[in-house]
Amino acid sequence: MRRAVAPPANPLNMRGRHATQARQANTILGLFDRFRRRDREAAAALYAAVVAKAREPHWYLEGQVPDTLDGRFDMVAAVLAMVMLRIEAEPAGDMDAAALATDLTERFVDDMDAQVRQIGFGDIVVGKHVGRMMGMLGGRLGAYRAAMETGDLSEPLIRNIWRGEAPAPAASTHVSDALQRFHAALRSVPLSALREGQLA
């Protein structure tokens, strides 16, 4: 009696299964990429709002912030620090908050990279400058976080915005009070609205 022998596997079917798996993997990666692009777009809206806030005339008029490349960077860093502190207020482990903070930081890096390149620096120097700016942002975030507890940002503002040379007391008070009012207003802004660039 002859034994039944199973037919050999069809190599075309095997390739078909692999192709299907590859298409599924590509679909998942495509969805992931779209989610990442959506997050980056949201961070772009928020970062644009941060820059617009930092360019408001009162900082440079009443606040006497130097209207220079350095002064504008310092104000962007100060406003950005207030927004980052707001995001930090979300519950620990909040993945949406963590993703937004990361995307916002990436936007800051992209902007600083473009600014430095526009000045005319080459690739090697650009990396050093952007790295230094990231360090400055981190240091200021820590300084402003600590100063917020005292209710007076004047000391770190004088050090970081006016580079140690104190302006008229009314000017430093104006910037300190305006940043604190801004930070207080951010508390009532939901993370979803913040993601869309709404600061108040």
Side-chain angles (χ1 to χ4, degrees):
M1 181 176 181
R2 299 176 60 184
R3 291 185 301 172
V5 178
N10 186 337
L12 294 177
N13 288 341
M14 291 294 292
R15 285 198 294 270
R17 283 198 296 272
H18 288 316
T20 299
Q21 291 170 354
R23 283 195 298 271
Q24 290 172 343
N26 287 335
T27 299
I28 293 171
L29 289 173
L31 289 172
F32 178 79
D33 286 341
R34 283 198 290 275
F35 281 128
R36 291 295 301 163
R37 285 196 295 272
R38 184 188 64 186
D39 288 343
R40 290 296 296 273
E41 289 169 3
L46 177 54
Y47 186 70
V50 166
V51 172
K53 183 73 175 177
R55 288 179 177 171
E56 290 178 354
H58 70 92
W59 304 115
Y60 308 93
L61 297 176
E62 291 91 338
Q64 296 180 17
V65 173
D67 191 8
T68 61
L69 188 62
D70 286 341
R72 291 189 291 273
F73 165 82
D74 294 333
M75 272 315 308
V76 169
V79 172
L80 182 58
M82 297 300 108
V83 174
M84 296 295 282
L85 290 175
R86 161 62 187 90
I87 297 173
E88 284 183 5
E90 292 297 303
D94 187 311
M95 296 304 294
D96 287 339
L100 183 57
T102 299
D103 289 341
L104 186 57
T105 303
E106 289 176 356
R107 281 291 169 178
F108 173 77
V109 172
D110 290 345
D111 185 29
M112 294 304 104
D113 183 277
Q115 295 289 339
V116 172
R117 289 181 187 279
Q118 189 173 12
I119 294 172
F121 290 110
D123 289 340
I124 296 177
V125 179
V126 165
K128 292 180 179 178
H129 275 278
V130 172
R132 183 171 62 87
M133 290 175 178
M134 282 299 298
M136 292 168 69
L137 175 63
R140 291 169 194 210
L141 181 59
Y144 294 143
R145 183 190 295 111
M148 289 295 292
E149 298 178 1
T150 71
D152 184 9
L153 299 177
S154 295
E155 192 277 328
L157 287 173
I158 290 171
R159 185 173 67 250
N160 293 308
I161 288 183
W162 295 283
R163 307 299 170 102
E165 297 183 8
S172 60
T173 298
H174 174 81
V175 176
S176 175
D177 290 350
L179 282 173
Q180 289 184 83
R181 286 195 302 270
F182 173 57
H183 181 261
L186 286 173
R187 293 175 189 157
S188 62
V189 180
L191 192 67
S192 58
L194 193 67
R195 186 185 298 275
E196 297 302 321
Q198 299 179 32
L199 297 181

